[in-house]
Amino acid sequence: MSASYFKKHVLVLVCLLVLFIALSGCGQGPPKGEQDEDTQEETKQETMVLKLAEVQPEDYPTTIGDKEMARIVEEKTNGRIKIDVYAGGQLGDEKSVIEAVQLGGIDFARINSQPLSEFSKYLGVFSMPYLFDDEDHFWRVMNGPIGEEILDGLEKDDMIGLTYYDNGSRSFYNRIREVRTPADMKGMKIRIQQSEIMVELIECLGASATPMPFGEVYSALQTGVIEGAENNYPSYYTTSHYEVAKYFTLDHHTRVPEVVIASKALWDKLSEEDRAIIKEAARASQDVQREAWKQYEKMAEEKVIAHGCIITEVEDMKMWQDAMAPLYDKYAGEDEELIEKIKQAR
């Protein structure tokens, strides 16, 4: 075999090899490693990570509700939308969080309706005492057309109302006697939050309103500076006020809901499908939050009863409601129509 013949065949083989490599690469993407990186980057861009602000600690009933909402959203969107819950006030107090939600700096928040009413007038009605006959009446309103109307009203203030969470009810406790009727409150000095409506409430019951910083209440009860105070069942226990005020009267004078809100700035960017998923998740999480609250209340009840506290359930709510007539005449104002709707929902 001649040298020229051998060279000619080698050249043909090399050409065929080059042609094969070129053809095998046609129509294909980048090498596998690069392709995986591109896919990962695309997935990262598609995943929306949102922030939810919560001032209560990790194990508190509202935080449990927040996390359930986040879990459902992530599940329903196959991980495309992820909500990180920042508990314990990591993103600020409730007032600063509300402002951040309005500006679009925070995506979601769980806010008590009392501070929220300073930003949106629709929630001010919950400050009216003895507005609800009982828990069933309260939730019938919250989860019905009236509650929906109030949530919808938040949009005018750059917030989207998603659902309500349970915050229990506030009741009176004191250090001197069992209270069954408004007449039993007469002459007592009762610590309250600084609020015109709360001052009027106490005066309508024949007692004396004493605004005072919350941290001073225990010693004031212990030394007799005041005879009583008011709060929900768990707070009565966790503050240790039950140690110095053993008479707890479940009059449920105010029921102020927690509200889960979204930023309108975020809402306007979402698809109709994603809005529906988030709203559905928020409302589904209410069941989990309410159950967590019931367990929290039950724990507090068992602890204070074991300590020897006297728990009195008000039997005639109408007597207490009737005592508030002067207060309603003074403060109902523009909420009069809404108050009437709430009464009719009994």
Side-chain angles (χ1 to χ4, degrees), residues 23 32 39 54 95 108 122 135 139 142 172 206 210 213 224 227 265 275 310 312 336:
L23 288 173
K32 188 176 186 305
T39 304
E54 171 62 70
K95 184 177 179 182
F108 301 98
Y122 297 94
E135 187 178 3
W139 285 110
M142 294 298 97
F172 292 112
T210 308
E227 278 84 47
R275 290 180 188 178
I310 308 299
T312 304
E336 194 169 357

Side-chain angles (χ1 to χ4, degrees), residues 98-99 101-102 111 116 119-120 123 151-161 261-265 267:
I98 294 168
E99 292 169 344
V101 167
Q102 288 179 311
I111 302 291
L116 195 56
F119 294 80
S120 183
L123 292 112
L151 288 178
D152 289 345
L154 290 168
E155 187 165 1
K156 294 178 182 177
D157 298 291
D158 296 323
M159 296 173 282
I160 303 297
I261 59 173
S263 169
K264 188 174 184 300
W267 207 248

Side-chain angles (χ1 to χ4, degrees), residues 1 8 21 29 42 51 59 70 74 82 110 117 160 163-164 169 176 205 218 239 265 271 273 288 292 309 319 326:
M1 185 181 295
K8 196 180 293 182
I21 292 171
E42 186 179 342
K51 292 184 289 189
D59 59 349
E74 187 168 3
K82 188 175 186 302
R110 190 286 312 157
S117 67
I160 303 297
T163 195
Y164 299 100
S169 61
I176 56 176
L205 296 174
Y218 185 96
T239 57
S271 67
E273 179 187 1
V288 171
C309 294
M319 190 184 300

Side-chain angles (χ1 to χ4, degrees), residues 3-193:
S4 62
Y5 179 83
F6 178 79
K7 286 180 182 178
K8 196 180 293 182
H9 276 73
V10 169
L11 183 60
V12 169
L13 287 171
V14 170
C15 289
L16 287 172
L17 182 60
V18 171
L19 180 62
F20 174 79
I21 292 171
L23 288 173
S24 65
C26 286
Q28 294 189 18
K32 188 176 186 305
E34 292 179 24
Q35 192 175 43
D36 286 346
E37 287 176 12
D38 289 345
T39 304
Q40 288 168 6
E41 184 61 32
E42 186 179 342
T43 302
K44 188 185 295 183
Q45 289 173 357
E46 286 181 357
T47 301
M48 189 184 300
V49 180
L50 305 173
K51 292 184 289 189
L52 190 157
E54 171 62 70
V55 298
Q56 297 292 358
E58 291 285 348
D59 59 349
Y60 196 77
T62 51
T63 313
I64 291 171
D66 300 334
K67 290 178 179 179
E68 175 65 7
M69 171 183 156
R71 184 194 69 77
I72 296 171
V73 168
E74 187 168 3
E75 180 184 278
K76 294 286 185 182
T77 61
N78 295 316
R80 186 168 46 80
I81 298 179
K82 188 175 186 302
I83 300 175
D84 289 337
V85 177
Y86 291 83
Q90 295 178 64
L91 301 183
D93 61 19
E94 288 190 313
K95 184 177 179 182
S96 60
V97 163
I98 294 168
E99 292 169 344
V101 167
Q102 288 179 311
L103 294 171
I106 294 176
D107 305 298
F108 301 98
R110 190 286 312 157
I111 302 291
N112 184 274
S113 61
Q114 204 155 36
L116 195 56
S117 67
E118 296 178 21
F119 294 80
S120 183
K121 64 178 183 178
Y122 297 94
L123 292 112
V125 70
F126 297 125
S127 297
M128 300 301 284
Y130 304 105
L131 184 61
F132 301 99
D133 291 350
D134 51 33
E135 187 178 3
D136 288 342
H137 180 204
F138 173 77
W139 285 110
R140 195 155 52 246
V141 170
M142 294 298 97
N143 290 334
I146 300 170
E148 191 67 29
E149 178 185 331
I150 293 171
L151 288 178
D152 289 345
L154 290 168
E155 187 165 1
K156 294 178 182 177
D157 298 291
D158 296 323
M159 296 173 282
I160 303 297
L162 298 176
T163 195
Y164 299 100
Y165 281 171
D166 201 351
N167 187 39
S169 61
R170 296 179 77 97
S171 292
F172 292 112
Y173 48 90
N174 79 90
R175 64 190 293 273
I176 56 176
R177 62 175 173 261
E178 187 175 7
V179 170
R180 292 185 175 276
T181 69
D184 296 327
M185 296 283 292
K186 190 172 182 179
M188 283 193 194
K189 295 189 291 293
I190 306 294
R191 182 269 173 185
I192 59 163
Q193 296 171 310

Side-chain angles (χ1 to χ4, degrees), residues 256-287:
V256 179
E258 309 284 359
V259 188
V260 180
I261 59 173
S263 169
K264 188 174 184 300
L266 165 71
W267 207 248
D268 290 344
K269 297 174 186 175
L270 296 173
S271 67
E272 287 296 326
E273 179 187 1
D274 287 343
R275 290 180 188 178
I277 288 171
I278 291 170
K279 208 162 223 183
E280 180 187 341
R283 295 186 180 187
S285 72
Q286 185 194 90
D287 291 338

Side-chain angles (χ1 to χ4, degrees), residues 328-343:
Y328 273 77
D329 289 343
K330 184 174 181 178
Y331 290 103
E334 59 186 26
D335 288 328
E336 194 169 357
E337 185 179 339
L338 182 56
I339 289 169
E340 190 55 38
K341 285 182 183 179
I342 290 172
K343 289 180 178 178

